[in-house]
Amino acid sequence: MISTMSTIKALRCSAIVLAIVFVASSASYSRIGFDKYHNHKEMTNYLMQITDEFPNISSLYSIGKSVLKRELWAVKLTTANELLGVPNVKIVGNIHGNEPVGREIILHLIQYLLDNNSKNKAINNMLRTTVIHLLPSMNPDGFERSSPQPCPNDGMQRSGSRENANAFDLNRNFPDFFNPHTVPLQPETKAMMGWLKSVPFIMSLGLHGGALVANFPYDGSLDSDSSYNHNIKNMESLTPDDDVFRFLAKQYAELHPTMHNGLSCEDEYNLKFKDGITNGAAWYQVIGSMQDYNYVWHGCMEITLEMSCCKYPPASFLESHWKDHLKPLLTWVQQAQRGIKGIVTNRITGKPIPNATVSLTDRENYVNTTVHGEYWKILLPGVYKLRVNATGYDEKIVRVKVPEEQEDQEEGPRPQLVNVQLDPTKTKMTTADGGSSTVSDSDHYNTYWVSGSDEHRATDRAVLSADTDVVLIGADRPLAGVQKSFVDKGLLLVVNVNGEDGEEDDGYYDPSRGNRYDVNRLQSMRPPLPVQSSSSRSGNHFPSPDSSLTRAVTMLCLLPFSYFIVHILS
């Protein structure tokens, strides 16, 4: 947990960073202006034009379609040459049709980042180390049915279409952690869910209007009983990562000119949100919110930003909102580099392990590794114990330290690289003499079967084989490549390595060596292994029953018996 002083120091660092590096003008040469809101056709043309202009940095794609078949456009920005280990973040606007300030701010943010990549060191570093996905409008149908309204400073102006074309509130339409899902998933919701499955997002912003506050999970709680329930008791519903959520929300509010004041939109003299932030459920409870779904189902740290007191202000207010939110948005993107990241691999083969679970020992939630074994975890300065599990592997706990951010660190926080190697779990096998042995499920071994009368001699030597050639090494010599535990009763296992696999990893604590991990339970969770041909040299390969080596060993084992039979008959 980070101390109050650490939080203050981190916020001070952010302020220094902004003072030093965010010097590029927010008034970049204009392809779109602040004089109007852009309808779906205009937005589409603009996105196509600007991504065509910067083809090496940007790309345009659709995550799906709305009820009325409008494309849900997203722009991907990055200059990273190698994407392995690079974090993905997203910003989503216009979830509610009549809250389009975020929609316009995203359009201008795309233009700003592309224009300033070659001019500003911080922007260049941001695009080089992060993949940024920007979706201006999640609800284009609702937007087309809404229009700007004169907006008194009451924060509750609701003209236009909040819902999608099927009259569903998209921020009440996601599967919920605390309550059963009872409403049909909408096309826009399904598209967002599919997007989260296809891209390993670690951070997200959902942009709204009607208040001025940074809202963090949970929106729901065990007491939620409706889709829109003001919480009279002001009871917070907190996540295991509450410290990080509060930091991200408070940092954003602190960098906004007025959000940190926490004043109510209804009464500018009434303090409503301390420090300009709020836990969602403490404000009002929501069933099926997007930010809760992001966090619970995908480990994505999403906060909801209420960007303006007026939901749909006249276009003349857009430029001032853009200037107010630019620095907080850029600093928020930088936080994707905070904490730790790494790759989880098989210690024997070096191959990445997908779908491993990565968590902290004192927190209940976890994130999964990608198909490439990658993981990211946003953490504040402190010392943590990282727990890594994967089906077919022994659990490993790693002690990690996230250092304090340096005040002269111009380009924002930098992640600690924590790669983790897991040992394949050893499973019980029955040997020829009825005993048992252990063999790793994920590695390639050669096997040499010996008879019961030879087992005491087999444990005194290592057999290094290449196909059918066998070389014996005396027990008084080092057994390179063979761990002591591998030689067990009637089965002698020889690892095809050069002696490195028996070494311990410095800095790691492996609970399996203390019998704290239930191997039988892990085996019961493992899916069936794919059948491989006998010629395969990768994966879980053992000599087939009719291999030449097995036949040779079998014949050797039968020789004493044959001699005995011949002797009796003679």
Side-chain angles (χ1 to χ4, degrees):
M1 298 292 290
I2 187 171
S3 65
T4 302
M5 291 301 296
S6 297
T7 304
I8 293 173
K9 185 176 180 181
L11 290 172
R12 187 184 298 118
C13 288
S14 298
I16 293 173
V17 168
L18 289 170
I20 295 174
V21 300
F22 290 125
V23 295
S25 170
S26 60
S28 55
Y29 63 91
S30 182
R31 296 173 191 81
I32 57 170
F34 294 102
D35 57 330
K36 61 179 292 186
Y37 289 91
H38 298 83
N39 62 32
H40 188 73
K41 182 178 180 181
E42 292 168 335
M43 180 181 72
T44 299
N45 290 337
Y46 159 73
L47 295 176
M48 289 181 173
Q49 172 192 340
I50 198 164
T51 52
D52 283 344
E53 186 175 344
F54 295 91
N56 297 327
I57 304 176
S58 65
S59 58
L60 178 64
Y61 65 101
S62 175
I63 69 167
K65 293 186 178 182
S66 68
V67 173
L68 300 180
K69 306 304 179 184
R70 292 186 172 96
E71 299 288 353
L72 304 179
W73 294 118
V75 172
K76 175 182 174 182
L77 304 177
T78 190
T79 60
N81 294 322
E82 172 57 62
L83 293 180
L84 185 68
V86 179
N88 289 263
V89 303
K90 63 182 170 71
I91 304 178
V92 180
N94 204 194
I95 295 96
H96 292 140
N98 64 338
E99 298 174 11
V101 171
R103 171 190 176 113
E104 293 297 316
I105 284 179
I106 289 177
L107 295 179
H108 284 276
L109 183 61
I110 295 168
Q111 178 172 285
Y112 177 87
L113 292 172
L114 292 175
D115 285 345
N116 286 287
N117 173 58
S118 60
K119 305 174 185 176
N120 183 275
K121 182 180 179 181
I123 302 301
N124 180 271
N125 181 70
M126 184 183 299
L127 292 175
R128 183 169 45 82
T129 59
T130 315
V131 183
I132 306 171
H133 303 255
L134 301 168
L135 193 149
S137 182
M138 181 180 168
N139 187 3
D141 297 347
F143 172 81
E144 296 295 327
R145 298 164 63 184
S146 304
S147 60
Q149 299 290 327
C151 187
N153 192 31
D154 61 6
M156 300 301 291
Q157 180 255 354
R158 297 178 179 277
S159 64
S161 178
R162 173 185 179 88
E163 294 80 14
N164 73 344
N166 285 338
F168 281 93
D169 187 329
L170 297 179
N171 202 38
R172 309 292 189 278
N173 195 237
F174 287 84
D176 190 85
F177 179 56
F178 299 101
N179 296 272
H181 188 268
T182 58
V183 295
L185 292 174
Q186 296 301 293
E188 298 90 346
T189 308
K190 291 179 180 178
M192 186 62 63
M193 292 169 67
W195 198 24
L196 279 158
K197 288 180 181 179
S198 64
V199 181
F201 292 112
I202 67 167
M203 285 172 44
S204 177
L205 289 177
L207 308 186
H208 290 258
L212 197 59
V213 66
N215 176 334
F216 56 89
Y218 292 118
D219 280 328
S221 75
L222 293 174
D223 298 326
S224 302
D225 57 7
S226 68
S227 63
Y228 189 89
N229 178 24
H230 277 278
N231 189 342
I232 299 176
K233 297 180 181 179
N234 294 320
M235 294 293 291
E236 292 186 324
S237 180
L238 305 181
T239 69
D241 290 310
D242 185 63
D243 59 334
V244 179
F245 274 120
R246 286 182 187 273
F247 175 83
L248 293 174
K250 188 173 182 180
Q251 183 183 64
Y252 194 99
E254 284 284 343
L255 294 173
H256 188 279
T258 57
M259 186 183 290
H260 63 275
N261 295 328
L263 299 178
S264 167
C265 286
E266 294 87 352
D267 180 359
E268 61 180 312
Y269 301 104
N270 176 29
L271 179 63
K272 186 172 184 178
F273 305 111
K274 186 178 185 303
D275 298 323
I277 69 175
T278 184
N279 172 256
W283 184 13
Y284 60 86
Q285 296 187 20
V286 172
I287 295 176
S289 78
M290 186 166 72
Q291 73 174 6
D292 282 10
Y293 176 81
N294 269 262
Y295 178 69
V296 174
W297 269 263
H298 297 279
C300 178
M301 307 283 289
E302 175 164 300
I303 61 177
T304 299
L305 289 178
E306 301 285 351
M307 306 188 79
S308 60
C309 284
C310 187
K311 287 180 176 290
Y312 200 156
S316 58
F317 288 85
L318 287 175
E319 187 168 10
S320 63
H321 287 316
W322 159 250
K323 291 179 179 179
D324 288 347
H325 285 281
L326 175 59
K327 289 180 180 180
L329 284 170
L330 295 174
T331 306
W332 174 85
V333 174
Q334 285 185 324
Q335 305 316 302
Q337 307 299 327
R338 182 176 293 280
I340 61 175
K341 71 174 185 177
I343 298 176
V344 179
T345 58
N346 182 313
R347 190 175 66 84
I348 306 299
T349 67
K351 293 181 179 179
I353 302 175
N355 209 38
T357 61
V358 180
S359 63
L360 302 181
T361 57
D362 61 346
R363 305 189 185 191
E364 297 176 358
N365 65 317
Y366 61 86
V367 295
N368 290 104
T369 56
T370 69
V371 293
H372 303 295
E374 308 154 287
Y375 78 92
W376 300 264
K377 183 68 178 174
I378 301 172
L379 296 171
L380 302 182
V383 177
Y384 303 88
K385 288 184 178 179
L386 193 71
R387 175 185 286 120
V388 184
N389 283 304
T391 301
Y393 296 86
D394 293 336
E395 180 184 74
K396 181 162 284 186
I397 294 178
V398 185
R399 183 181 180 273
V400 298
K401 181 178 180 180
V402 179
E404 296 283 348
E405 186 177 345
Q406 300 298 316
E407 292 193 7
D408 60 349
Q409 203 163 302
E410 295 185 1
E411 297 176 356
R414 298 171 186 169
Q416 293 293 106
L417 184 62
V418 184
N419 293 328
V420 180
Q421 295 179 324
L422 295 185
D423 288 299
T425 300
K426 300 174 182 64
T427 60
K428 295 279 186 177
M429 292 186 63
T430 302
T431 62
D433 63 346
S436 65
S437 184
T438 58
V439 58
S440 168
D441 285 325
S442 299
D443 303 313
H444 176 193
Y445 296 100
N446 288 328
T447 60
Y448 174 64
W449 293 95
V450 294
S451 65
S453 61
D454 284 340
E455 72 179 36
H456 67 282
R457 282 177 286 149
T459 57
D460 290 338
R461 65 198 179 196
V463 181
L464 303 181
S465 66
D467 297 325
T468 57
D469 295 328
V470 178
V471 180
L472 303 182
I473 302 178
D476 56 340
R477 296 176 59 185
L479 305 184
V482 181
Q483 293 188 12
K484 190 173 183 180
S485 61
F486 287 169
V487 185
D488 187 3
K489 301 226 171 176
L491 177 63
L492 188 66
L493 302 178
V494 182
V495 189
N496 288 334
V497 293
N498 294 321
E500 299 174 354
D501 294 308
E503 299 175 0
E504 292 293 332
D505 294 342
D506 292 338
Y508 292 105
Y509 167 64
D510 187 347
S512 66
R513 305 198 194 286
N515 297 322
R516 286 173 51 190
Y517 200 77
D518 187 346
V519 175
N520 292 327
R521 180 177 67 84
L522 201 128
Q523 293 303 313
S524 66
M525 294 163 50
R526 182 182 294 105
L529 294 172
V531 177
Q532 296 184 345
S533 66
S534 59
S535 61
S536 173
R537 298 291 294 177
S538 62
N540 304 292
H541 174 72
F542 297 91
S544 60
D546 61 346
S547 68
S548 58
L549 178 60
T550 303
R551 291 198 302 270
V553 171
T554 302
M555 292 175 65
L556 288 172
C557 293
L558 290 175
L559 281 176
F561 179 75
S562 301
Y563 176 81
F564 175 75
I565 295 298
V566 171
H567 179 74
I568 293 298
L569 292 176
S570 63

